[in-house]
Amino acid sequence: MNNKKFYAQINHRCRATTNGAIDIYTFLVLEFKNNKIYPSSLTIPSKQQSVKDPVNYKFENKIVYLAKPLDFKEDLGSVFTFINGNLIPKKKQNESKFVFRPSLDPYFKRNK
């Protein structure tokens, strides 16, 4: 899992300007590096990023176990399942509204 990033969209809003409207997206980012997870939030198009303290993790049988829950307003828990290349928080209700994808591409691809 080292040197990988995963993104989950948490917000989309639109800001009106004199030149038209600007879409603003906010993502939760999980970056795996040096055997730690570096959680952050990322705003696009401004590319503002706020990084939280790193968290230790263990990866076994396609499950990521965090040493402690992530420091986000959204309750993600401390266990994630690796399914089809995505990370999905494993909640007690077994239902999560967040899917962490390995790229931002799925969020910005337009149907032609």
Side-chain angles (χ1 to χ4, degrees), residues 28 37-41 50-55 70-73:
L28 296 179
I37 292 178
Y38 291 82
S40 63
S41 59
S50 62
V51 180
K52 312 267 185 195
D53 290 333
V55 175
L70 299 173
D71 186 23
F72 286 123
K73 179 175 68 174

Side-chain angles (χ1 to χ4, degrees), residues 58-89:
K58 181 171 65 171
F59 182 66
E60 288 181 348
N61 298 323
K62 296 190 178 193
I63 298 178
V64 176
Y65 300 94
L66 305 182
K68 65 178 186 174
L70 299 173
D71 186 23
F72 286 123
K73 179 175 68 174
E74 295 77 10
D75 179 22
L76 300 174
S78 58
V79 178
F80 292 76
T81 306
F82 192 68
I83 301 173
N84 296 327
N86 300 315
L87 275 180
I88 301 172

Side-chain angles (χ1 to χ4, degrees), residues 1-9 27-32 37-40 42 49 59 64 72 80-88 99-104 107:
M1 293 294 289
N2 256 345
N3 300 319
K4 293 186 184 227
K5 283 187 183 181
F6 293 88
Y7 306 86
Q9 182 178 335
F27 294 91
L28 296 179
V29 181
L30 301 178
E31 182 175 6
F32 290 79
I37 292 178
Y38 291 82
S40 63
L42 172 65
Q49 190 165 10
F59 182 66
V64 176
F72 286 123
F80 292 76
T81 306
F82 192 68
I83 301 173
N84 296 327
N86 300 315
L87 275 180
I88 301 172
V99 174
F100 287 85
R101 302 182 192 290
S103 168
L104 288 172
Y107 298 106

Side-chain angles (χ1 to χ4, degrees), residues 10-26:
I10 59 170
N11 192 10
H12 171 239
R13 64 186 192 277
C14 193
R15 183 180 327 161
T17 69
T18 55
N19 293 331
I22 298 174
D23 287 317
I24 299 170
Y25 299 88
T26 305

